Amino acid sequence: MAVTLLTLLLFAGARSVSCQYNASTAIATPSKTTSGSSAFVTNFELSLDDYWDLFVGPVSTFSINTTVEPTPIPSSSLIPPPPLYYPSFPIGQQVPLQAKNESWSFPKDFWYGVAGAAYQIEGAVKAEGRGPSIWDVLSHRVPSYVITNETGDVADNNYYQYKEDIARIAALGIKAYSFSLSWSRILPFGSGQVNEEALRHYDDVIDTCLQYNIIPQVTLYHWDLPLYLQNSYGGWLGSEIVDDFTAYAEIVFNRWASKVHHWFTINEPIVFCGFYPLPVGFFKNTTIPPKQQPYVCGHNVLLAHANAYHVAKSVNSSLSVSFKTNGGYKIQRTNSSADAQAVQRAWDFQEGWFANPTFINGDYPPLLKDYVSTFLPNFTEEQKAHINGTADIFAHDAYTSDFIMAPDSGIDACTSNSSHSLYPQCYNTTKLYANNYWAIGPAGDPGTPWLNKATDWVPAFLHYMQDTWKPKGGIAITEFGISEPYEELRKDLASILIDPIRSSYYHDYLQAILIALSEGVNVVGTLAWSIYDNLEWTSGYGVKFGIQYVNLTTQERYFKASAFEYVNVFNVYLEK
Ligand SMILES: *[C@@H]1O[C@H](CO)[C@@H](O)[C@H](O)[C@H]1NC(C)=O
Ligand SMILES: *[C@@H]1O[C@H](CO)[C@@H](O)[C@H](O)[C@H]1NC(C)=O
Ligand SMILES: *[C@@H]1O[C@H](CO)[C@@H](O)[C@H](O)[C@H]1NC(C)=O
Ligand SMILES: *[C@@H]1O[C@H](CO)[C@@H](O)[C@H](O)[C@H]1NC(C)=O
Ligand SMILES: *[C@@H]1O[C@H](CO)[C@@H](O)[C@H](O)[C@H]1NC(C)=O
Ligand SMILES: *[C@@H]1O[C@H](CO)[C@@H](O)[C@H](O)[C@H]1NC(C)=O
Ligand SMILES: *[C@@H]1O[C@H](CO)[C@@H](O)[C@H](O)[C@H]1NC(C)=O
Ligand SMILES: *[C@@H]1O[C@H](CO)[C@@H](O)[C@H](O)[C@H]1NC(C)=O
Ligand SMILES: *[C@@H]1O[C@H](CO)[C@@H](O)[C@H](O)[C@H]1NC(C)=O
Ligand SMILES: *[C@@H]1O[C@H](CO)[C@@H](O)[C@H](O)[C@H]1NC(C)=O
Ligand SMILES: *[C@@H]1O[C@H](CO)[C@@H](O)[C@H](O)[C@H]1NC(C)=O
Ligand SMILES: *[C@@H]1O[C@H](CO)[C@@H](O)[C@H](O)[C@H]1NC(C)=O
């Protein structure tokens, strides 16, 4: 597959470019045009390999480089751990310090699973025709963007070892596996020519799930944008992304709608839109002011998501299709009216940014709209109707909670001052109670300062989601988990595998969901993040979220204690 060169020379960035055109590997594709660039026009074309070389360079590979059958799971690794330091639910080897609460249960069809995402786990980045994504560039070419300078080149080698990965979670008793598709595997340049090898790969991932009686749940976009789309029109900052995402969604839904019921279009737009502005010099430059870029991205996300939703429903109207949003519960830090206003700003600029348009009225929440309507076009009535109602469940990645307060200057001094450090959100957050002494809960790893265990607020949060966005299909916690503090410093396997903070997190979080269920909140599923340790984006591999440990030298996998804690709650409380 090939690509015309004209955008490449313009956007190769700080690196000096010598043309590495290889006539014998170049294949003609329908030519792409780049709006607004008259600086350089050529008929040169590059092969996919040349495109990789120009923007990413050499990548690492692993010795297991063909799809392998599962290695047997040692029966000793399926014995639950001995008692940990807190009371547990009564079963197995764990001491029954607490009787089962007969007021609690998970409905029979509640799905509990584990999640991962393509760039964080797959590896095999150049295999079988995959095109580069922005994350290949960010990890290879932007020094310290990943603070350890690590890449996803090999990651967990899931691209070749997925059969083992699925067999292992099935052996634990997990019901669902949520993974994301690599867009640039399926469409190496983001649009145009389809890579059949990639489709066949995901065919088998899905079929392997079904073979093991695991429910496959598929996300179309988990941050790994095809590089070509970033270089051509600025990725999510360009309105062209809406049509390209829609075309990608058509391929995906037409291929797998008959086998996959649970779909997520776009993962955590609050986060990846917040990555904008991307580092200057590595991609197409833009004239959109930096503070506006996240909201331009978000605007295109809403339109792209809505299109994908309607595509899915036109293929099969029974599918469950949603996007995944994220954020923690927002606790008013003091009883002041300024802090009450700050909390509302926080909801509007976080969850409400994507949830109000899709669940309430097709438009932004009021406090966000005050800001974005100064530079974004208003959604037309037609667009509002197209966006409203495009999520079947409220799929929320809810890891933690935060105290919210007004800025020191007060809110008005911030909203009227675009130089204010908290502009345009104009609310402040902290992990400390108002006494400025106690943290909200046990801290995760220092590499994730945003994350403390704060499960006490989960029932209130679930009520808030249900009351505010009234999702017809209920709420799913589509990611939750914690980075066990300093886990990276533990070097021997036995120390690594007992992860008490993470275990207590799952225990208490699921207990909180049971409380909310008993109070009438409709929670339909949970997905633990993560199936195993993986590339934690800019934090590298040292920050660990897995319920399994992966030895990255050998690619061997091991269950941690938290894996058993997670499953045990369902063994006790799932209705038979
Ligand atoms: C983008 O702008 C930066 C800073 O002005 C410049 O160094 C870089 O070469 C530009 N990149 C492209 C692709 O135009
Ligand atoms: C050009 O492509 C041919 C055929 O794929 C290959 O044998 C050759 O090594 C390539 N040359 C360079 C300079 O990459
Ligand atoms: C696959 O790995 C083997 C070693 O296990 C190596 O000899 C071979 O060159 C690799 N193949 C590719 C295509 O990387
Ligand atoms: C990452 O690479 C940059 C540039 O080469 C270097 O300055 C930095 O020390 C590296 N970081 C680590 C953790 O190796
Ligand atoms: C449509 O989706 C539902 C739910 O996933 C499934 O049961 C049904 O078989 C699908 N229909 C077709 C024609 O694939
Ligand atoms: C807020 O007010 C309520 C009742 O007036 C009181 O119970 C609570 O402690 C107050 N909270 C804070 C953080 O001051
Ligand atoms: C956008 O809508 C708001 C009201 O919701 C209105 O005040 C504003 O004038 C509109 N902007 C444009 C450009 O139409
Ligand atoms: C948006 O859709 C919801 C149901 O999905 C409906 O209750 C609501 O009336 C719609 N709002 C508008 C403004 O159309
Ligand atoms: C935000 O809160 C922190 C305390 O967590 C405080 O140090 C900082 O000054 C506050 N910033 C603003 C702009 O209010
Ligand atoms: C706006 O905020 C900046 C940065 O905090 C500050 O230096 C400036 O004085 C503020 N301007 C006004 C008018 O308050
Ligand atoms: C990972 O595997 C390597 C190679 O076999 C071994 O030296 C190392 O001890 C293993 N690490 C752990 C934590 O077991
Ligand atoms: C059992 O659950 C109910 C409903 O959530 C709760 O009110 C009660 O306190 C629980 N009992 C115990 C012993 O935890």
Side-chain angles (χ1 to χ4, degrees):
M1 272 163 267
V3 63
T4 56
L5 187 61
L6 89 156
T7 53
L8 304 183
L9 292 184
L10 291 171
F11 306 131
R15 188 164 167 259
S16 73
V17 175
S18 64
C19 180
Q20 297 170 357
Y21 175 64
N22 183 338
S24 58
T25 54
I27 304 165
T29 51
S31 98
K32 286 241 163 207
T33 54
T34 310
S35 54
S37 61
S38 54
F40 194 95
V41 178
T42 171
N43 293 321
F44 278 85
E45 293 188 342
L46 287 187
S47 70
L48 189 57
D49 276 351
D50 292 338
Y51 193 52
W52 270 102
D53 289 345
L54 188 56
F55 284 94
V56 181
V59 302
S60 308
T61 56
F62 190 68
S63 54
I64 299 172
N65 54 22
T66 54
T67 300
V68 288
E69 290 305 314
T71 47
I73 301 166
S75 58
S76 61
S77 77
L78 288 167
I79 300 170
L84 300 177
Y85 65 79
Y86 54 87
S88 184
F89 294 110
I91 203 158
Q93 289 198 185
Q94 306 200 359
V95 179
L97 296 176
Q98 180 188 305
K100 180 175 174 185
N101 187 330
E102 297 299 334
S103 308
W104 294 346
S105 68
F106 293 105
K108 203 164 67 194
D109 54 358
F110 192 97
W111 40 264
Y112 53 101
V114 291
Y119 189 69
Q120 295 178 273
I121 68 170
E122 280 185 352
V125 289
K126 276 186 77 175
E128 300 188 351
R130 179 179 174 277
S133 80
I134 56 170
W135 271 91
D136 295 289
V137 179
L138 293 169
S139 63
H140 274 265
R141 285 285 165 85
V142 188
S144 303
Y145 192 80
V146 175
I147 55 166
T148 53
N149 295 324
E150 292 166 311
T151 74
D153 288 358
V154 172
D156 295 299
N157 209 34
N158 167 272
Y159 190 76
Y160 297 120
Q161 294 179 238
Y162 59 92
K163 287 181 196 284
E164 172 178 6
D165 295 342
I166 293 164
R168 291 180 64 81
I169 59 176
L172 263 186
I174 296 279
K175 292 289 172 228
Y177 174 42
S178 167
F179 58 93
S180 78
L181 305 172
S182 162
W183 183 347
S184 66
R185 282 193 196 281
I186 294 174
L187 293 152
F189 293 109
S191 66
Q193 209 168 329
V194 176
N195 176 16
E196 270 294 324
E197 271 186 296
L199 296 179
R200 283 197 294 273
H201 168 77
Y202 292 118
D203 282 346
D204 198 49
V205 174
I206 291 166
D207 289 344
T208 305
C209 286
L210 299 175
Q211 176 197 333
Y212 282 92
N213 212 13
I214 295 277
I215 304 165
Q217 306 202 353
V218 179
T219 299
L220 274 69
Y221 181 73
H222 198 125
W223 305 358
D224 44 355
L225 187 76
L227 173 64
Y228 187 78
L229 305 185
Q230 190 68 44
N231 283 343
S232 321
Y233 52 71
W236 290 99
L237 300 182
S239 57
E240 298 92 330
I241 193 77
V242 176
D243 284 346
D244 282 342
F245 186 73
T246 307
Y248 165 51
E250 280 167 5
I251 295 164
V252 168
F253 288 118
N254 282 316
R255 183 90 174 190
W256 295 301
S258 63
K259 292 183 174 173
V260 177
H261 174 68
H262 297 87
W263 293 92
F264 306 107
T265 55
I266 292 178
N267 178 74
E268 297 188 358
I270 296 169
V271 179
F272 77 81
C273 287
F275 290 154
Y276 288 96
L278 290 175
V280 164
F282 296 90
F283 307 104
K284 180 182 170 126
N285 284 337
T286 174
T287 54
I288 302 170
K291 287 206 176 188
Q292 295 179 6
Q293 290 183 29
Y295 302 96
V296 173
C297 169
H299 206 73
N300 292 324
V301 162
L302 281 163
L303 294 167
H305 158 75
N307 279 359
Y309 180 91
H310 293 293
V311 165
K313 293 290 169 160
S314 72
V315 174
N316 181 341
S317 61
S318 327
L319 301 179
S320 168
V321 186
S322 301
F323 67 99
K324 284 169 67 194
T325 185
N326 69 287
Y329 188 56
K330 293 146 194 24
I331 311 157
Q332 193 178 319
R333 196 180 193 223
T334 74
N335 281 336
S336 73
S337 62
D339 285 0
Q341 284 176 52
V343 167
Q344 190 57 52
R345 294 193 71 79
W347 288 120
D348 281 13
F349 276 81
Q350 292 276 313
E351 282 81 352
W353 180 4
F354 297 96
N356 283 40
T358 40
F359 287 95
I360 297 181
N361 60 2
D363 206 356
Y364 296 114
L367 295 168
L368 177 61
K369 191 164 179 184
D370 286 347
Y371 172 60
V372 296
S373 60
T374 61
F375 57 92
L376 287 179
N378 287 336
F379 288 123
T380 63
E381 291 309 313
E382 209 178 8
Q383 285 174 325
K384 287 184 197 170
H386 189 65
I387 293 168
N388 188 27
T390 56
D392 296 321
I393 59 172
F394 197 88
H396 204 59
D397 299 353
Y399 284 85
T400 186
S401 301
D402 296 280
F403 294 107
I404 306 289
M405 67 247 192
D408 297 340
S409 63
I411 291 174
D412 292 347
C414 174
T415 53
S416 60
N417 181 356
S418 62
S419 309
H420 195 287
S421 61
L422 295 174
Y423 185 86
Q425 293 88 353
C426 296
Y427 64 86
N428 202 353
T429 69
T430 175
K431 292 289 183 191
L432 298 180
Y433 281 88
N435 65 7
N436 268 323
Y437 183 82
W438 291 113
I440 191 168
D445 190 83
T448 51
W450 54 273
L451 177 53
N452 293 57
K453 171 175 178 277
T455 48
D456 287 358
W457 285 273
V458 168
F461 195 8
L462 292 168
H463 278 283
Y464 186 88
M465 290 180 209
Q466 177 157 295
D467 296 347
T468 308
W469 294 291
K470 303 180 173 61
K472 291 187 293 279
I475 297 163
I477 300 301
T478 39
E479 286 183 21
F480 69 132
I482 194 165
S483 48
E484 183 77 15
Y486 304 104
E487 190 172 320
E488 186 195 11
L489 300 183
R490 304 181 197 161
K491 296 303 175 200
D492 67 299
L493 196 55
S495 327
I496 293 167
L497 298 185
I498 291 186
D499 51 347
I501 298 274
R502 184 179 297 112
S503 299
S504 80
Y505 176 97
Y506 282 120
H507 175 281
D508 293 352
Y509 201 123
L510 291 165
Q511 179 170 285
I513 291 176
L514 285 163
I515 291 170
L517 279 164
S518 76
E519 293 167 354
V521 181
N522 183 20
V523 185
V524 297
T526 56
L527 297 170
W529 185 273
S530 176
I531 177 173
Y532 40 45
D533 298 335
N534 58 53
L535 177 67
E536 179 50 23
W537 304 110
T538 56
S539 307
Y541 292 95
V543 170
K544 294 170 187 288
F545 275 91
I547 63 167
Q548 300 183 71
Y549 165 69
V550 179
N551 185 328
L552 294 175
T553 310
T554 61
Q555 292 294 345
E556 289 168 295
R557 287 90 159 101
Y558 302 86
F559 299 118
K560 298 180 192 173
S562 57
F564 292 90
E565 194 67 53
Y566 183 51
V567 169
N568 187 35
V569 185
F570 296 99
N571 289 340
V572 175
Y573 283 108
L574 191 72
E575 283 170 14
K576 298 291 185 290

